[in-house]
Amino acid sequence: MRRAYYAEVAGRYWKRPATEAEVDAGLRDDPADGLVPPTGQFVVGRLDGVPLSCGGIRVLDPVTAELTRVYVDPRARGTGGGAALLAALEDEARALGAERVRLDTRSDLVEARALYARNGYAEIPAYNSGPYAEHWFEKHLA
């Protein structure tokens, strides 16, 4: 799932398909080390038993968790899988003690931005200076 995620976001950024070597390099440069308890979690969503979505949550501070590597395969878009994935990631954030969830994303990832807005995330001022961050969102957890 992480390969599919990286291939899509890199391909969109470069406006061409990412090569296997580029995907390999991207995964090496962006390890998922922190996406395991007690600092985070990684979730894989399935549709009819087939893995078609994923996302990570990591602790930023005692009350804030961050969504990262959120991906819904094009075959699963429009099925409600994205909302279910966000709900599962928010549950994981609560289990890690978070009261709010933040994320950053790029302008070209329009489906992601729409998904976040539909699910209660509001745009906020920048909270980080990531090289690809162009939009920042936050949601307070109940």
Side-chain angles (χ1 to χ4, degrees):
M1 289 308 313
R2 287 189 57 231
R3 287 189 75 76
Y5 158 80
Y6 194 82
E8 179 164 343
V9 297
R12 283 187 173 200
Y13 183 77
W14 293 323
K15 296 181 176 53
R16 62 165 175 79
T19 67
E20 290 297 315
E22 289 167 335
V23 172
D24 291 341
L27 291 172
R28 276 192 309 275
D29 293 343
D30 190 24
D33 299 351
L35 300 182
V36 295
T39 58
Q41 189 62 271
F42 191 76
V43 173
V44 174
R46 292 172 171 75
L47 180 63
D48 298 327
V50 178
L52 291 175
S53 66
C54 67
I57 193 88
R58 68 173 154 230
V59 174
L60 293 181
D61 64 46
V63 297
T64 310
E66 182 179 49
L67 283 176
T68 184
R69 298 177 186 88
V70 174
Y71 173 73
V72 178
D73 185 286
R75 296 170 291 173
R77 294 178 188 163
T79 67
L85 176 65
L86 288 180
L89 289 164
E90 291 164 8
D91 287 344
E92 294 295 340
R94 285 183 196 91
L96 293 167
E99 297 173 12
R100 66 182 174 199
V101 175
R102 289 184 170 173
L103 65 98
D104 65 65
T105 192
R106 299 190 327 235
S107 294
D108 63 319
L109 301 176
V110 294
E111 298 91 343
R113 290 182 16 239
L115 173 67
Y116 302 134
R118 277 195 313 272
N119 285 277
Y121 289 78
E123 283 211 52
I124 61 170
Y127 68 90
N128 65 18
S129 58
Y132 305 107
E134 298 172 320
H135 297 270
W136 296 263
F137 287 84
E138 179 177 274
K139 180 176 181 177
H140 290 270
L141 303 173

